[in-house]
Every structure is written in C-alpha cells, then in structure tokens.
Amino acid sequence: DTGVSQDPRHKITKRGQNVTFRCDPISEHNRLYWYRQTLGQGPEFLTYFQNEAQLEKSRLLSDRFSAERPKGSFSTLEIQRTEQGDSAMYLCASHRETQYFGPGTRLLVL
Amino acid sequence: DQQVKQNSPSLSVQEGRISILNCDYTNSMFDYFLWYKKYPAEGPTFLISISSIKDKNEDGRFTVFLNKSAKHLSLHIVPSQPGDSAVYFCAATSPGATSGSRLTFGEGTQLTVNP
C-alpha cells in the first residue's frame, strides 16, 4: 500500500455515459499525476497538478476529459461521452522525490 | 514515437539465478531513470532509480546500471525469487524540465521466476 487511494477500482459503463474517478494522494505531496495504461503498454502521462494548479495536459487528454484538484488535495478525472477506446486502467500518482502510484481504476466501456 | 523501449516482452529465469531486464531510450534530455514493478490489478510500485550522473545504483538484490553513451539501462535482480514475478517497467524523466517530472514509460517486461 503506497498511501495513494483511488475510487472506484472498477467501472463498467455504456458508451456515451459520463464517468468520474477520484484519487486521494499522500497528504503532504503537492504534485499529483494522472496516467492511462492500456493492455500491453506502459502508463502514459495525461496531466499533472502542482497543488490546485493544473500545469500540463497531454495531447491524449481530449476535450471530453477534464481533471480537477480543488484545494490541492484529492483530484477527480471526468470523462464525458465515453467511447470504447477509453477502456483502460487510469492511474493516479502522488509525488515527492518519487512518484507513488495508486491501485488504479479499471474502466470498461461497452 | 516510443522514447523509452523495452524490447523483451517477457523473460523467464530459474529461482536463484540472475534476472537482467533491459531498457533503451532515445531522448537525450532524460536525466533520471526509474524501475517500477507491477502485479496484476495493482498500481506500479517503485523499485529503484538512478540519476544520469551515476552509472550504477544498488539496493539489496536490485542493481540498476546506466550507460549514457548507449542510452541504455538495465536492472539486475540477484538472486531471483518467485515473488519477483511481475511486469517491470522502465521509466525516464527530466526533473529540471518544465514538464514537472512526468514519467515516460517503456512497454514493460513480464518476468517469471520459476521455482
């Protein structure tokens, strides 16, 4: 257990629905990252926060994706109008010298 | 553009022997490298890292070697144990860059240690 938690652990949804994932980082860590991992690939960077400020977004993060980190604590990642290609493991990482990953949320879009 | 590459999707070794996992990178801006281990249904777990100012870093059974001129790093596990069976990811970053230490991962190598 790294101290980073994610909720839910699994999500099955139908195409076109909206989904929201939550990440609770280690409390004293001010950087938080989101990654996406598909089968047979390593995690790919999506976005990161320094406290409450979203400082960088990957080209992978289409307009249907939005992330927030109100008050610099937990973070949410929302996907609107889900597509089958969004099916993946979504990983959150909390950073202080090294990135510590949560267990991930596995999303399946039917 | 795969900036970090792990060319071996899988590796099988006997318990007690050495496991060597390899990783190549193309981006000269990378100056910090990490290895993560991942079990099914869990997030990646940090194992060991190395800065580009070093060529070797050791932590217990795990040693990482960095060859900057070849843009190559390797992870040695000695002796290998069945509990080491997992997917190993190589990752690289540039802590001083404006990218905020985002990690770029390789595809992973599935290590199986047979009893």
Side-chain angles (χ1 to χ4, degrees):
Chain A
D1 184 1
T2 61
V4 181
S5 60
Q6 292 188 245
D7 184 70
R9 295 291 305 274
H10 304 274
K11 180 71 178 178
I12 300 174
T13 191
K14 292 183 179 178
R15 190 176 53 186
Q17 298 294 304
N18 298 344
V19 294
T20 300
F21 311 140
R22 176 179 170 126
C23 170
D24 286 272
I26 297 168
S27 59
E28 62 268 26
H29 290 187
N30 54 17
R31 283 192 191 173
L32 185 149
Y33 298 76
W34 285 98
Y35 293 83
R36 180 176 72 183
Q37 184 181 13
T38 53
L39 202 60
Q41 299 297 317
E44 295 173 288
F45 170 79
L46 291 178
T47 188
Y48 98 96
F49 293 84
Q50 174 89 22
N51 300 313
E52 66 275 8
Q54 188 175 17
L55 296 186
E56 188 177 2
K57 294 196 290 186
S58 160
R59 288 171 294 178
L60 292 175
L61 218 63
S62 75
D63 292 345
R64 298 183 296 105
F65 288 71
S66 63
E68 292 182 344
R69 193 182 181 198
K71 303 177 185 177
S73 55
F74 70 92
S75 176
T76 58
L77 178 68
E78 181 184 16
I79 309 174
Q80 296 182 327
R81 305 181 304 282
T82 52
E83 302 173 354
Q84 288 182 325
D86 297 331
S87 297
M89 171 80 87
Y90 289 85
L91 293 160
C92 168
S94 163
H95 175 97
R96 185 173 182 173
E97 297 181 2
T98 299
Q99 290 187 28
Y100 297 92
F101 284 83
T105 295
R106 183 166 293 284
L107 173 67
L108 177 61
V109 181
L110 301 176
Chain B
D1 176 26
Q2 190 70 28
Q3 298 185 63
V4 178
K5 197 145 183 67
Q6 295 175 253
N7 289 312
S8 298
S10 62
L11 175 67
S12 183
V13 300
Q14 208 63 30
E15 181 179 6
R17 306 296 289 267
I18 184 171
S19 296
I20 300 176
L21 298 101
N22 294 301
C23 177
D24 297 291
Y25 62 96
T26 57
N27 189 338
S28 301
M29 299 301 293
F30 289 145
D31 55 7
Y32 195 73
F33 304 89
L34 309 91
W35 285 93
Y36 282 83
K37 177 170 74 173
K38 187 179 183 303
Y39 293 117
E42 293 183 13
T45 302
F46 170 73
L47 266 180
I48 192 169
S49 61
I50 187 167
S51 165
S52 61
I53 62 173
K54 296 185 174 182
D55 55 18
K56 176 183 175 181
N57 189 25
E58 193 171 353
D59 183 3
R61 296 186 297 114
F62 302 92
T63 303
V64 56
F65 295 92
L66 174 63
N67 182 335
K68 279 190 354 183
S69 60
K71 294 192 177 66
H72 177 84
L73 62 155
S74 60
L75 175 67
H76 292 209
I77 306 174
V78 183
S80 301
Q81 299 173 354
D84 295 329
S85 298
V87 177
Y88 287 77
F89 290 101
C90 168
T93 187
S94 308
T98 55
S99 59
S101 299
R102 56 189 272 184
L103 296 176
T104 301
F105 284 86
E107 307 94 322
T109 297
Q110 171 70 57
L111 173 66
T112 302
V113 181
N114 301 302

